[in-house]
Amino acid sequence: MIKPSMLRSLHSAVSRGSSHLARRGYSSESTPERKVVVLGAAGGIGQPLSLLMKLNPLVSSLSLYDIAGTPGVAADVSHVNTRSEVVGYQGEGELGKALEGADVVIIPAGVPRKPGMTRDDLFNINAGIVKSLCTAISKYCPKALVNMISNPVNSTVPIAAEVFKKAGTYDEKRLFGVTTLDVVRAKTFYAGKAKVPVAEVNVPVIGGHAGITILPLFSQATPQANLDHDVIVALTKRTQDGGTEVVEAKAGKGSATLSMAYAGALFADACLKGLNGVPDVVECSFVQSNVTELPFFASKVRLGKNGVEEVLGLGSLSDFEKEGLEKLKPELLSSIEKGIKFANQ
Ligand SMILES: NC(=O)c1ccc[n+]([C@@H]2O[C@H](COP(=O)([O-])OP(=O)(O)OC[C@H]3O[C@@H](n4cnc5c(N)ncnc54)[C@H](O)[C@@H]3O)[C@@H](O)[C@H]2O)c1
Ligand SMILES: O=C(O)C[C@H](O)C(=O)O
């Protein structure tokens, strides 16, 4: 049963968002108009993500698109008494209208894993979905920031880049693979072992978003804690296998949806803050990069009015992390190349 105290906390979370804006020199009335589109809005991630974006006072227009089910999701979410206007769009015929004028497009469209599958096993279905959605983005909102959630992210981001290049609309500053869930997990797991308040924890996660390509840098974690090497090894493995932990626990009913919706909402909020000129917005993301020899790589990124303002370096790594970095490169490169090849077929 929902208690009045729960509703009061949710309402105060939304109000805290508004007072945070006020501290930054905005009022929700003077905050710029921002249209956010969710592609795959009726799915396991799409629905809670749509709700979280409806709670974000930086959003003025929320466009919810899916191949089916969006009228119901949009009607439901639209009753929440926050700033944004919500419109649902269903089926390919409405995709253009859904995308027009978008500032940020979030893509959680596609199939999730079942136990025993790798993220790469999703390639055959999701690559085509991402390719067609990105073709529409290049036509209807080529300037939007694209937040790619659909797996395998290590390949879907390169696919998106190739589609945009072919359409002549590619801007590397505007394309992001969402790896925030890896950071969210690393923070949670580290706080538990280090016995520090989770809200104060920061842990960069670099590389990509699959298995060993996910490399949390616990040597840079703050607040610092003197954890034994075997604890760091176990924390690293748990972060790398976090998605599988959820897939197995859901036992055939999909992969992370709620924690992913939270992570996706955090990352989209960071993009919106960057667009609005809020200084020093830094998040990890899988972007076009020259911090290593790989063409795409996740690392800390400073967000600004045009998307990526600066791809930050990796900082100093422990020997264990240096080893992890070298090990991940061949797998990450092969996933990137697979995406590029698919897009150019
Ligand atoms: N990046 C990450 O950290 C992360 C985390 C969790 C899940 N994921 C990935 O996100 C994706 C979605 O997961 P989910 O659990 O929400 O799956 P889901 O099956 O519950 O939802 C996917 C939604 O996409 C929709 N869809 C399919 N084709 C579409 C198209 N052409 N256009 C628009 N919508 C379309 C479906 O109708 C469905 O509503 C999966 O690929 C999953 O692996 C990524
Ligand atoms: O693990 C998955 O398949 C989904 C997602 O990439 C995750 O990290 O939870």
Side-chain angles (χ1 to χ4, degrees):
M1 183 175 133
I2 296 181
K3 297 186 186 141
S5 60
M6 288 165 73
L7 291 176
R8 275 198 301 277
S9 350
L10 187 57
H11 190 261
S12 71
V14 175
S15 314
R16 272 200 301 282
S18 312
S19 54
H20 176 70
L21 282 177
R23 281 200 303 279
R24 296 278 195 181
Y26 294 120
S27 68
S28 46
E29 290 73 33
S30 67
T31 303
E33 303 275 293
R34 293 292 177 202
K35 176 170 173 176
V36 171
V37 184
V38 181
L39 302 180
I45 297 167
Q47 292 199 36
L49 177 58
S50 300
L51 173 62
L52 293 173
M53 295 319 296
K54 177 71 174 119
L55 297 183
N56 189 320
L58 300 181
V59 183
S60 57
S61 165
L62 183 59
S63 168
L64 305 183
Y65 173 83
D66 205 305
I67 48 176
T70 23
V73 177
D76 191 352
V77 169
S78 74
H79 290 184
V80 173
N81 59 325
T82 54
R83 180 184 180 206
S84 52
E85 296 286 329
V86 182
V87 184
Y89 298 94
Q90 180 171 248
E92 250 189 275
E94 299 195 349
L95 180 54
K97 270 190 286 169
L99 289 171
E100 266 167 10
D103 295 289
V104 176
V105 180
I106 316 175
I107 313 186
V111 291
R113 283 200 282 164
K114 289 192 186 322
M117 292 171 80
T118 66
R119 291 177 183 82
D120 188 56
D121 292 332
L122 306 172
F123 187 97
N124 288 345
I125 300 181
N126 290 354
I129 293 175
V130 163
K131 192 174 176 184
S132 70
L133 292 174
C134 289
T135 303
I137 290 171
S138 63
K139 185 162 173 205
Y140 294 104
C141 55
K143 298 273 177 212
L145 304 192
V146 175
N147 293 185
M148 183 68 71
I149 292 174
S150 311
N151 269 318
V153 168
N154 293 353
S155 303
T156 53
V157 168
I159 291 173
E162 291 304 302
V163 171
F164 297 150
K165 278 181 200 164
K166 273 197 187 159
T169 64
Y170 183 51
D171 177 353
E172 73 275 11
K173 293 183 165 51
R174 293 173 186 271
L175 175 59
F176 303 88
V178 181
T179 57
T180 319
L181 183 52
D182 302 318
V183 176
V184 163
R185 286 175 177 145
K187 287 179 176 180
T188 305
F189 304 157
Y190 177 83
K193 288 288 178 202
K195 309 249 180 302
V196 290
V198 69
E200 289 171 22
V201 170
N202 264 310
V203 185
V205 182
I206 63 165
H209 178 69
I212 62 158
T213 72
I214 300 167
L215 185 61
L217 302 182
F218 289 114
S219 69
Q220 296 178 19
T222 53
Q224 281 184 350
N226 254 341
L227 298 177
D228 289 343
H229 181 66
D230 55 344
V231 175
I232 297 290
V233 172
L235 279 174
T236 302
K237 178 135 179 50
R238 187 163 181 215
T239 306
Q240 292 174 332
D241 294 346
T244 307
E245 187 177 316
V246 178
V247 168
E248 281 168 3
K250 290 199 173 179
K253 297 225 162 73
S255 55
T257 52
L258 304 173
S259 50
M260 182 59 236
Y262 168 71
L266 283 184
F267 190 72
D269 179 66
C271 288
L272 290 165
K273 286 192 177 120
L275 286 176
N276 290 355
V278 174
D280 279 330
V281 181
V282 174
E283 291 291 335
C284 290
S285 180
F286 183 66
V287 294
Q288 183 177 312
S289 171
N290 55 17
V291 302
T292 68
E293 61 274 35
L294 301 182
F296 294 91
F297 198 80
S299 66
K300 283 196 211 166
V301 167
R302 190 184 311 287
L303 295 157
K305 291 188 174 176
N306 298 305
V308 176
E309 204 159 77
E310 188 184 359
V311 179
L312 300 172
L314 303 183
S316 80
L317 308 191
S318 68
D319 288 345
F320 173 65
E321 290 159 358
K322 281 183 193 154
E323 204 182 298
L325 176 59
E326 290 316 307
K327 273 196 202 145
L328 73 81
K329 285 178 182 172
E331 178 178 329
L332 184 50
L333 181 61
S334 121
S335 302
I336 292 169
E337 285 173 342
K338 186 171 174 180
I340 294 173
K341 189 169 167 214
F342 170 85
N344 290 309
Q345 262 163 13

